[in-house]
Amino acid sequence: METLKTNDILSSSWGYEQTNINFYRVKRLVGKTMIELVRLESMQVENQDLHFTQTSVIPDLTRERKRTFKRKIHQGTKSPFVMISNYESAWLWNGKPEEKTNSLFGH
């Protein structure tokens, strides 16, 4: 069974009528079932979408937000995840760019 560890990067994809992408870094383990996280800023990478409705992003590992927070680790069928809020869950990032709605097309 896969587990989360310090410095792992998590990503979340959420939204209604638009796709938002957030990235988080595991700062430390808190006991056996909790982790402390910090949100990372994202940066745009080359976009392959010819209509420019999507933007490809990756985490900017050099730019963390200040606030850390704790979340319980849940075990999914394939990998662990955390619930950031009632509408957002974050999973271990696969290292590939994520696609979000371009800011010109979202709300």
Side-chain angles (χ1 to χ4, degrees):
M1 180 175 354
E2 192 174 13
T3 186
L4 298 175
K5 58 190 179 305
T6 300
N7 289 321
D8 276 349
I9 304 299
L10 308 178
S11 68
S12 70
S13 174
W14 60 277
Y16 179 76
E17 293 185 358
Q18 72 178 31
T19 303
N20 303 290
I21 303 292
N22 291 334
F23 294 102
Y24 302 90
R25 182 192 319 263
V26 176
K27 295 297 281 183
R28 67 185 180 101
L29 302 175
V30 181
K32 294 183 179 186
T33 62
M34 300 277 290
I35 56 174
E36 184 175 54
L37 298 164
V38 65
R39 186 166 163 192
L40 297 170
E41 298 296 333
S42 61
M43 57 191 213
Q44 188 172 335
V45 294
E46 186 175 330
N47 194 340
Q48 302 298 322
D49 182 9
L50 298 178
H51 301 289
F52 302 105
T53 59
Q54 298 290 309
T55 299
S56 299
V57 293
I58 60 172
D60 184 341
L61 302 177
T62 66
R63 295 178 56 216
E64 291 183 350
R65 295 204 175 171
K66 294 182 193 241
R67 187 178 76 87
T68 62
F69 57 96
K70 295 175 185 163
R71 291 293 183 269
K72 181 178 179 180
I73 302 169
H74 300 275
Q75 189 58 48
T77 55
K78 295 184 179 181
S79 66
F81 69 97
V82 295
M83 294 299 301
I84 302 298
S85 66
N86 64 341
Y87 56 85
E88 180 185 4
S89 57
W91 301 76
L92 196 57
W93 181 50
N94 65 8
K96 298 177 182 175
E98 302 271 349
E99 301 294 323
K100 73 174 194 166
T101 303
N102 184 305
S103 59
L104 299 175
F105 293 91
H107 298 289

